Amino acid sequence: MWRARLDPPWALAGWRDAARTALRAGVPPEAIDWDARGDGLLGSTPLAEAPPLQDAPSVPGGFIALAEAVLAHRDPHRHALLYRLLWRLTRGEPGLLAHDTDPDMRRARQLEKAVRRDVHKMHAFVRFREVPGEANAFVAWYEPDHFIVDLAAPFFMRRFAGMRWAILTPDRRAVWDGQAMTLGEGGDRDDVPTGDAGEALWRRYYASIFNPARLNTKAMRAEMPARFWKHLPEARELPQLVRGASARVDAMVARAPVPPRRIIPAPVVPDPSAGGDLDALRAAVRGCRACPLWRPATQAVAGVGPRDSRIVVVGEQPGDEEDLRGEPFTGPAGRLLDRAFADAGLDRASAYLTNAVKHFKFELRGKRRLHVRANAAEQSACRGWLERELALVRPERIVCLGATAATAVMGRGFALMRERGRWHRAADGTPVLATVHPAWVLRQPVGQSEDAYASLVADLARVAAALAGDGPTAASVATDVAG
Ligand code: URA
């Protein structure tokens, strides 16, 4: 009889060494005492002394991952179970891992599942508390069902890389000092402070997101078993929240229905000849149903800026953020435009910013809404709004960002990359300069984006120069076009 002593009993490396030694010595499963404390069974020999008789056979893929999880279970028979599986896998049953009805495999999968669930719970229910007197240092006490700290710790390392933390459990601790993780002996509950200021905030937050209409105490207990409650600051709020839930649901039902987040317009089509000021125009734009783009969008996004702006800047269409906020150029492209404006010496606040198309066109990719360019019919359905904005603001200069804007102002056939950075004339004679869209600059690969940005700034600097009275006058623009 042979005996194995594994310390710690959940470590894969120790069990793998022992199992490999046993396999090479041809020791059958029933001849090993895996639970050997001290000297183990009378008359048994340490496995490390077993003589190698053969090469270690190779192990099918998937077994190591299974073994790592099973070893973390508290079941005292897990080492023997794993060795039995290994023995069979390497002695004529290479397909054993796929046999879900085999009793050994079924048991192994049960243990694996329990461990993975325990890891998941630990990820969800560890609550850090600030270490008094230490900056950016946190500690948590947690009592997992199994020996899972080694398996669960990498998640916390990734999630909380920027702080120093320790998680103490009865059997094991994980400590992250901001650079490296150490796994060591278990700790004591009394080493962990019982509350901090962040905890009160967290409890208030939890109470505010608790939805009484979705209360399902059975599911809640399954997801968050009562034994975890003692670690969770929010658990103290639960009895009260649960007690008050049905009254809150009654009150919600009695309240008037909340209007949907989407702003559903009454049907309007653009009428550039209509009277009214910019406010009336914005209200009308919000009701636009001139093409199908209004349907999936949150709302139409009209232009913003002073009525007496000297320039109108025309973009393509609102993006994801603009659609949600209802204001043009507030997302990533808008932020880049702000920077380019500043670098070119232009003042964004005194410009009127708008788009050729007033609704966000997108396609869904998972949860993300990805920009899609409006087609010719959608662009032309929207043109009336831009014409009305230009007629009301009557800018000295128009700046077009990208091809859609340039087409809307200059008409089809305008070759942006050839004509960019030079002054042209709109149909009513207003000088127009077209340049690249900031979103195009953002899409450039590293190494080319700096040049793309510089060229956008250079074009905008021509606008700034023109406004400052430097560069071609409105009357001389034709010369610039020719030149
Ligand atoms: N891109 C645009 O063309 N317009 C916006 O408003 C935002 C991004």
Side-chain angles (χ1 to χ4, degrees), residues 211-272:
N211 182 351
R214 302 192 60 189
L215 176 65
N216 176 342
T217 42
K218 211 166 140 207
M220 192 187 245
R221 275 180 191 281
E223 254 321 288
M224 197 201 280
R227 71 199 150 83
F228 290 111
W229 291 25
K230 58 180 180 287
H231 306 303
L232 303 177
E234 65 266 31
R236 274 194 267 154
E237 307 295 321
L238 276 174
Q240 199 185 335
L241 289 170
V242 170
R243 266 198 310 278
S246 76
R248 280 178 65 194
V249 172
D250 291 348
M252 279 161 74
V253 172
R255 225 178 290 141
V258 180
R261 184 178 66 86
R262 279 196 59 217
I263 297 162
I264 300 190
V268 177
V269 286
D271 178 4

Side-chain angles (χ1 to χ4, degrees), residues 301 315-319 322 327-331 333-334 354-355 401 437 439:
V301 179
E316 181 193 341
Q317 60 161 314
E322 289 83 6
E327 223 186 273
F329 288 105
T330 48
T354 190
N355 283 301
L401 303 174
H437 195 285

Side-chain angles (χ1 to χ4, degrees), residues 17-101:
D17 286 351
R20 201 179 280 142
T21 305
L23 274 187
R24 287 168 62 189
V27 179
E30 58 280 7
I32 308 176
D33 171 16
W34 285 98
D35 193 22
R37 279 162 246 259
D39 287 342
L41 292 178
L42 224 52
S44 63
T45 315
L47 197 51
E49 294 170 19
L53 303 177
Q54 59 199 49
D55 287 344
S58 61
V59 176
F63 179 75
I64 293 299
L66 175 70
E68 188 175 37
V70 169
L71 284 168
H73 203 281
R74 279 189 195 272
D75 183 333
H77 307 300
R78 65 195 183 285
H79 304 106
L81 169 70
L82 283 173
Y83 186 67
R84 212 159 48 242
L85 283 172
L86 187 60
W87 180 263
R88 293 173 58 194
L89 278 165
T90 56
R91 301 227 165 197
E93 293 184 73
L96 180 59
L97 288 182
H99 290 185
D100 291 340
T101 51

Side-chain angles (χ1 to χ4, degrees), residues 101-152:
T101 51
D102 177 89
D104 280 346
M105 270 312 294
R106 223 181 27 235
R107 180 67 187 146
R109 292 289 181 214
Q110 277 168 357
L111 302 189
E112 180 190 31
K113 195 166 159 200
V115 164
R116 302 223 184 277
R117 188 169 162 76
D118 205 29
V119 170
H120 174 73
K121 294 267 180 253
M122 181 165 172
H123 290 166
F125 295 138
V126 160
R127 296 284 181 270
F128 287 104
R129 294 188 159 112
E130 223 160 355
V131 178
E134 280 198 50
N136 197 30
F138 299 82
V139 62
W141 173 252
Y142 190 75
E143 291 167 35
D145 283 344
H146 302 290
F147 303 113
I148 54 162
V149 174
D150 300 47
L151 296 178

